[in-house]
Amino acid sequence: MMRKPQIIVCGLGPTGYEIFRLLRQQGIEAIGIHDEPLPQETDHVIVGNLRSSATLLAAGIQEAQTLVLAMVDDAVNLAVLVQARLLNPHIRIVNRLFNQRLGERLNNTLADHTAMSVSALAAPVFAFAAFGNRAIGQLQLFEQTWPIHEEYIDEGHSWAGRTLDELWEDRSRMLIYYLPMQTHLDLVSGVLRQQPLQVGDRLIIATKPTVGSRRKSLIERSRQFFRWLKTLRQQIQSSVAITLVLFATIFIATLTYTAINAEITIVDALYFSVGMITGAGGNEKVAETAPAFIKVFTVIMMLAGAGVIGIAYALLNDWVLGTSFRKLWQAAPIPSQNHYIICGLGGIGIKIAMSLQDNGYDVVAIDLDPNSRFLQTAQSLKIPVVHGDATLPHTLETANIKRATALFAVSSDDTTNLEIALTAKGLKNDLRVVVRSRDAHFGMMVQEVFEFNSVLSPTEIAAPSFAAAALGGEIFGSGMTAGNLWIAMATTITPQHPFLGQDVKSAAANGDFVPLYLETQGDTLHGWELLGADLEVGDRLHLTIPANRLAQLWRVVEPELELPPPSSQPNPQQNGRISSASPR
């Protein structure tokens, strides 16, 4: 029997504790480290300074195989990483980092280091949740993002009556899961038995993306230009008003001086008026020989002109030397229709915006903080940002909510997100709303009571992927089906691997996973070649698996207990449905 890996989870906040709980729930020898006692955990948690070598030694860092760094602060995770590698140079590190560029550099520099981001893992699931019931996730395959959707087989569906083996061989798609209406077949067994699709069946499918043109039509570019002009008009209203006041002042002064003295030409009066108001001076004889009340008028004009010129210079300086013109030039106009509104420009919000934009969708963000951490990132991506309170109808209307496709309420506060979602629904009842909830249980109740499209917890979405990475897997996708979570990962066949020596179809039946493709020495196997291939040392198997079946990746199946191939004896406990990552 292969020894179960010993894993240390450092930082038992919401995400860390969910990782820790998931690992122990599945029988893994896991130890937690936290800076304060946890009432619900007393036997398997070390309390102390996370950066202290004494705390790490008490947790068994020198004998542990994997350390999961799950703190929110990247700096703290890096400090613990350095300390851990000094105590155990060979320990495997799963590091929670929001800064993905730093994570990539650490992965390239350090052996056995895997950087992961809760925001990056959760954002695609949030984004696809806004697409309705079809899009449920994505996979990173062959350096492309494959969108995942659900096909429901009804009477008029073109696939009704077709067999699963026909779809399995198609290289433009990958079958993820089969959810039959009447039978209890898993996907691999259905493919081997040439099971026909029947009315009521459902298939989870990843589709190869098509590279389309990002160029906008002439009409759309014209609309965008006019929206920019509208924004320009709003931005320069104050400048235009001051300019008009300045011209009016000069005109009144010029008219006054020509009226009291017919010998003064309009040009001389204009020259004096401009010099007087701007402070440059010139042709003072116009006022020197004038009556006393004209001199008083001149004094008033000089004082008024000084104020107007001061304001005009300030506005001009801000436009030319400041940031107003640059911000206006760089700012993207707010989309007028069919766009997605993201309320809360935090870690999750900016990742959702990037995910949607990468797939060609128009996005507008709303954030209350004008100095948001990710404001410059949004501006560099040409994502329009509305500064205001998203709980107020006026702010949402500024983002053209009545013509929007969906809204994400993803601020860091659950109550604020609920208020934003209710306000949005009040303005547009049929709007798709996706709400972030830190508390998964509270989120379930909110979704049931208020009938939002989705209420998701980033912690619940990301934790199974961290747990899988702690076991040695490389995560390249995740998704949801009927509220349940699954992950896509790659596993390398080692001399101690439980699947070594099995063919793929037998390993899939024993491990309750769906194989996607197999990388061998110099070849990549798909379709029927994949199912019949024998797993050898060094092979790399890409698969999808329910989050609560991760234990199959280290559990050794004794030869006498191995199940027959699914084509001859399907597992009666499997119905192809994806189990929940962790019970509520």
Side-chain angles (χ1 to χ4, degrees):
M1 181 72 68
M2 177 183 174
R3 179 188 175 188
K4 294 181 180 179
Q6 184 180 6
I7 299 173
I8 298 176
V9 182
C10 189
L12 300 183
T15 301
Y17 182 73
E18 185 67 17
I19 298 169
F20 173 76
R21 188 182 68 83
L22 178 60
L23 291 170
R24 292 206 61 86
Q25 179 187 12
Q26 299 187 49
I28 304 169
E29 187 179 350
I31 299 294
I33 300 178
H34 203 50
D35 54 4
E36 58 185 24
L38 298 178
Q40 68 273 32
E41 295 287 348
T42 56
D43 297 334
H44 306 287
V45 175
I46 303 299
V47 179
N49 185 349
L50 302 179
R51 308 185 191 194
S52 170
S53 58
T55 304
L56 294 173
L57 289 171
I61 189 71
Q62 293 178 320
E63 296 80 23
Q65 295 180 358
T66 304
L67 173 65
V68 180
L69 302 175
M71 284 76 73
V72 176
D73 191 342
D74 287 3
V76 176
N77 288 332
L78 291 174
V80 179
L81 181 154
V82 174
Q83 188 65 258
R85 277 294 171 91
L86 291 175
L87 298 172
N88 184 351
H90 304 292
I91 192 169
R92 188 170 187 275
I93 303 290
V94 178
N95 197 354
R96 176 184 179 181
L97 291 173
F98 179 84
N99 190 332
Q100 290 183 279
R101 287 182 299 179
L102 174 61
E104 291 175 0
R105 294 189 179 103
L106 290 174
N107 290 343
N108 295 330
T109 304
L110 300 176
D112 295 323
H113 179 278
T114 301
M116 304 180 70
S117 167
V118 172
S119 300
L121 290 168
V125 179
F126 273 80
F128 283 113
F131 297 156
N133 296 326
R134 289 180 56 83
I136 57 175
Q138 66 176 4
L139 298 179
Q140 297 293 331
L141 297 175
F142 309 117
E143 299 182 353
Q144 288 183 301
T145 300
W146 291 48
I148 298 172
H149 67 276
E150 178 182 298
E151 287 283 351
Y152 177 77
I153 309 301
D154 54 25
E155 294 182 356
H157 200 287
S158 59
W159 290 358
R162 293 185 64 180
T163 57
L164 288 173
D165 60 297
E166 297 179 50
L167 302 176
W168 179 265
E169 190 63 22
D170 191 339
R171 298 294 180 88
S172 66
R173 67 173 68 95
M174 288 195 177
L175 305 187
I176 306 300
Y177 266 90
Y178 172 48
L179 294 85
M181 182 68 177
Q182 299 178 358
T183 64
H184 296 279
L185 277 179
D186 61 272
L187 177 58
V188 175
S189 299
V191 169
L192 295 174
R193 295 185 178 188
Q194 300 180 344
Q195 175 71 17
L197 290 172
Q198 302 175 0
V199 174
D201 290 352
R202 289 187 294 167
L203 276 174
I204 309 301
I205 297 173
T207 307
K208 184 177 181 179
T210 56
V211 180
S213 174
R214 284 293 192 88
R215 297 179 61 184
K216 296 183 178 181
S217 66
L218 180 60
I219 296 177
E220 181 59 30
R221 281 184 290 176
S222 300
R223 289 176 179 173
Q224 185 173 348
F225 175 72
F226 284 119
R227 289 198 297 267
W228 183 84
L229 288 180
K230 182 179 179 180
T231 304
L232 175 63
R233 181 179 60 82
Q234 295 172 347
Q235 293 287 333
I236 66 174
Q237 281 182 346
S238 56
S239 300
V240 171
I242 288 297
T243 302
L244 292 177
V245 170
L246 177 61
F247 285 156
T249 304
I250 294 174
F251 176 76
I252 293 172
T254 301
L255 188 64
T256 302
Y257 293 129
T258 55
I260 62 161
N261 191 346
E263 297 180 357
I264 299 176
T265 65
I266 294 180
V267 175
D268 288 339
L270 176 63
Y271 178 70
F272 173 72
S273 299
V274 172
M276 172 193 63
I277 292 174
T278 60
N283 202 18
E284 285 82 0
K285 64 180 183 179
V286 172
E288 289 177 355
T289 59
F293 75 92
I294 292 299
K295 293 181 178 180
V296 173
F297 171 78
T298 302
V299 171
I300 295 174
M301 286 292 100
M302 293 174 74
L303 294 175
V308 173
I309 286 296
I311 296 175
Y313 279 160
L315 291 173
L316 181 62
N317 180 71
D318 183 55
W319 271 93
V320 177
L321 302 179
T323 60
S324 296
F325 182 76
R326 179 165 52 87
K327 287 181 179 179
L328 178 64
W329 184 258
Q330 294 178 348
I334 296 174
S336 58
Q337 60 185 358
N338 301 328
H339 56 286
Y340 293 80
I341 301 174
I342 300 172
C343 302
L345 199 59
I348 293 289
I350 192 64
K351 292 293 185 182
I352 294 173
M354 295 168 67
S355 177
L356 289 169
Q357 192 179 63
D358 288 343
N359 286 279
Y361 297 98
D362 289 330
V363 179
V364 58
I366 299 177
D367 198 86
L368 185 61
D369 184 5
N371 300 312
S372 172
R373 174 185 176 187
F374 302 106
L375 179 59
Q376 289 187 345
T377 303
Q379 291 175 343
S380 66
L381 295 172
K382 297 294 184 180
I383 296 174
V385 180
V386 176
H387 297 292
D389 187 350
T391 63
L392 301 178
H394 172 72
T395 306
L396 295 178
E397 288 172 349
T398 303
N400 296 326
I401 187 173
K402 294 183 179 180
R403 293 187 176 183
T405 300
L407 177 139
F408 299 88
V410 290
S411 75
S412 58
D413 184 76
D414 287 359
T415 304
T416 301
N417 291 334
L418 176 59
E419 186 176 358
I420 292 172
L422 292 175
T423 304
K425 279 290 190 180
L427 294 173
K428 185 180 179 182
N429 187 53
D430 60 345
L431 182 71
R432 296 175 187 167
V433 174
V434 180
V435 182
R436 173 187 178 182
S437 175
R438 299 171 67 90
D439 187 336
H441 181 67
F442 173 73
M444 291 177 59
M445 295 187 293
V446 167
Q447 183 170 359
E448 183 175 352
V449 171
F450 298 105
E451 298 181 349
F452 297 137
N453 293 80
S454 295
V455 180
L456 305 175
S457 168
T459 294
E460 187 180 32
I461 293 171
S465 296
F466 275 84
L471 301 172
E474 177 188 343
I475 308 304
F476 59 88
S478 61
M480 296 190 312
T481 301
N484 299 317
L485 189 67
W486 53 265
I487 59 174
M489 63 183 301
T491 180
T492 301
I493 305 302
T494 63
Q496 296 80 29
H497 200 286
F499 300 155
L500 178 64
Q502 300 184 51
D503 57 34
V504 173
K505 61 179 179 292
S506 299
N510 294 333
D512 190 22
F513 67 83
V514 176
L516 299 178
Y517 66 96
L518 178 67
E519 293 179 332
T520 63
Q521 294 183 355
D523 198 7
T524 301
L525 303 181
H526 305 261
W528 292 109
E529 290 181 330
L530 168 64
L531 293 179
D534 293 326
L535 295 171
E536 301 176 353
V537 174
D539 290 350
R540 193 164 181 78
L541 180 62
H542 294 71
L543 53 90
T544 59
I545 188 170
N548 68 342
R549 301 291 291 178
L550 296 176
Q552 301 297 326
L553 296 179
W554 70 86
R555 187 186 71 186
V556 174
V557 182
E558 300 295 341
E560 64 272 14
L561 297 179
E562 289 186 359
L563 297 175
S567 58
S568 59
Q569 182 181 336
N571 186 347
Q573 300 300 321
Q574 296 181 4
N575 62 358
R577 300 182 184 275
I578 302 176
S579 303
S580 173
S582 55
R584 304 292 195 277

